[in-house]
Amino acid sequence: MKNWWPLLLTLVIQAMVAMALLTLPVMAPVVAEAMQVSPALVGLYVSVTYAGAMVSTLMGGATVARMGAIRVSQWGLLLCAAGLLLCAVPWFPAMVLGAVLIGLGYGPITPASSHLLARTTPQSQMSLVFSIKQTGVPLGSMLAGAMVPPLALLTNWQISLLAVAGACLLCAGVSQGLRAELDTDRQPATPIRWGSLVQPIRLVLAHRSLLTMASCSFMFSMVQLSLTTYLVTFLHEDLSYGLVAAGLALSVTQMGGIGGRIAWGYVADRWLGARRMLLLLASLMALGALASAFLTTNTPQSVVVVILVAFGASAIGWNGVYLAEVARRAPPGMASMATGGTLAFTFLGVVVGPPMFGVLSSLFGTYRAGFAGLMVMASVSGTVLFWSQRPAR
């Protein structure tokens, strides 16, 4: 039972930072109306947060080695809380700075958890355990979709941001109780330099298997974050869903992601292996994006739900298999650094993806064009995975 504590703690922390990041996007129509800007600018918010995450995730390996995985996670939660407080200020520069802080807090969470789980998990269970931990992302997104829009309508959007900030602070405080036990491998003398930003990238570029994972995660993240960022706005504006109903649809999509992450991790460990599993998921993502592009106001709600659950299972469910494969392929003792290096490519996809989705949607006057673009990216990533396996065969 003791070995499950790291998994449980990292799962909760991952859920909280994911909820923090998506709190503003899930009520984008309300915030955009209050600020008198276009809801499509939510893509810019996501890009700014993940630009901050790119920087902090590259520092994740060095900071985890020096301070310990739990202490780094606590700092991440505090930064997310501070960012949410700034986003509650109805002034554009403050909200931009808040987005940067949320990104800086979000970035090192996954390298920290990968470091902790890599040394506490048997090799034969890594895909499943990492997939369970990564359900924290759709779990946090599901909580954001189910709780934030009703709270925003009941009170106001600023109170919603303050409430999630308080939850992040509470989680950081609770984590302190396990810090002494789980951060025993920290090395306080480890230096943290600007050169630490480059070292994880060099590690990825030096290993072909890590580079393949990184390039595919770049495209997968474009699909995932575009879906979660724009789904509420797409349903609200193109399909005439109410804000609460659209938020609940996002929660249903995240539930598909939760089930998918656990199922894909189990299947990858037992039968297909990580590469074949990711190739299958790329195909499912392409089909999900294509089906979403054809949704209309006349589409029965039950059909919409089925499509979104299936789309979420693949577009949100790939991360655990991917992170376990990165940790498995990393040199001994370098799981957090390899994770940070590959996540830099992942976050770059997030920086590029939502704005691209927004530009395509604005250009063609419908969010369906954005979903068509996601189908293309999923197909390209599947092609990369297919060709990377040919020499092995």
Side-chain angles (χ1 to χ4, degrees):
M1 187 68 178
K2 182 179 179 181
N3 290 335
W4 287 97
W5 278 113
L7 174 58
L8 179 61
L9 183 59
T10 53
L11 170 65
V12 172
I13 293 172
Q14 190 78 63
M16 288 312 308
V17 296
M19 185 178 183
L21 192 146
L22 273 178
T23 294
L24 193 62
V26 298
M27 53 181 181
V30 173
V31 178
E33 183 179 357
M35 299 287 291
Q36 295 185 338
V37 297
S38 169
L41 283 177
V42 69
L44 177 62
Y45 162 84
V46 173
S47 293
V48 171
T49 57
Y50 276 92
M54 280 180 62
V55 175
S56 60
T57 195
L58 289 172
M59 298 293 291
T63 54
V64 167
R66 178 167 180 158
M67 295 190 294
I70 300 302
R71 179 64 83 216
V72 168
S73 298
Q74 288 176 307
W75 273 108
L77 289 162
L78 293 176
L79 286 170
C80 285
L84 289 168
L85 294 177
L86 281 172
C87 286
V89 179
W91 184 45
F92 200 72
M95 298 180 83
V96 171
L97 180 58
V100 172
L101 291 182
I102 291 172
L104 291 175
Y106 186 88
I109 298 299
T110 301
S113 59
S114 290
H115 172 85
L116 192 58
L117 294 178
R119 65 186 182 89
T120 58
T121 306
Q123 285 280 334
S124 61
Q125 298 176 1
M126 287 187 72
S127 288
L128 179 59
V129 168
F130 274 68
S131 293
I132 293 174
K133 193 276 295 184
Q134 282 303 114
T135 60
V137 176
L139 177 60
S141 303
M142 183 178 70
L143 292 173
M147 298 174 62
V148 172
L151 183 59
L153 294 176
L154 183 64
T155 56
N156 60 55
W157 61 273
Q158 286 134 319
I159 294 297
S160 300
L161 290 165
L162 297 179
V164 178
C168 288
L169 293 175
L170 178 62
C171 185
V174 171
S175 302
Q176 182 62 27
L178 290 172
R179 199 249 168 168
E181 178 183 352
L182 297 179
D183 279 355
T184 54
D185 64 331
R186 65 185 184 275
Q187 303 168 19
T190 301
I192 300 177
R193 306 187 183 94
W194 284 110
S196 300
L197 290 170
V198 181
Q199 193 174 0
I201 299 294
R202 288 176 175 170
L203 177 64
V204 171
L205 296 177
H207 294 78
R208 181 182 175 186
S209 58
L210 293 178
L211 183 58
T212 299
M213 290 296 100
S215 62
C216 288
S217 75
F218 168 77
M219 290 174 276
F220 283 174
S221 64
M222 293 178 72
V223 178
Q224 178 181 344
L225 265 293
S226 295
L227 173 63
T228 56
T229 300
Y230 281 101
L231 181 61
V232 170
T233 306
F234 165 64
L235 294 174
H236 182 67
E237 295 194 356
D238 280 18
L239 272 62
S240 301
Y241 277 51
L243 185 61
V244 173
L248 290 175
L250 174 62
S251 296
V252 168
T253 307
Q254 301 294 342
M255 289 177 64
I258 292 173
R261 290 190 183 205
I262 297 174
W264 308 143
Y266 184 83
V267 171
D269 277 339
R270 289 299 184 98
W271 296 297
L272 290 183
R275 298 291 183 94
R276 290 188 179 91
M277 188 71 257
L278 291 172
L279 176 57
L280 175 60
L281 292 178
S283 303
L284 293 176
M285 283 183 220
L287 292 173
L290 179 63
S292 298
F294 282 95
L295 294 176
T296 68
T297 54
N298 296 322
T299 305
Q301 195 172 53
S302 58
V303 175
V304 174
V305 168
V306 170
I307 290 174
L308 292 180
V309 169
F311 196 4
S314 57
I316 303 170
W318 58 275
N319 307 69
V321 176
Y322 147 72
L323 289 170
E325 181 69 2
V326 169
R328 191 181 290 114
R329 299 288 181 177
M334 302 184 75
S336 62
M337 184 175 294
T339 302
T342 55
L343 280 177
F345 291 85
T346 309
F347 292 158
L348 179 61
V350 176
V351 171
V352 174
M356 182 198 76
F357 188 101
V359 168
L360 283 173
S361 301
S362 298
L363 185 62
F364 289 93
T366 174
Y367 290 102
R368 294 182 181 87
F371 283 108
L374 298 186
M375 181 195 68
V376 173
M377 296 311 303
S379 300
V380 171
S381 62
T383 302
V384 170
L385 284 166
F386 176 77
W387 284 101
S388 70
Q389 296 181 55
R390 286 179 64 86
R393 290 200 300 271

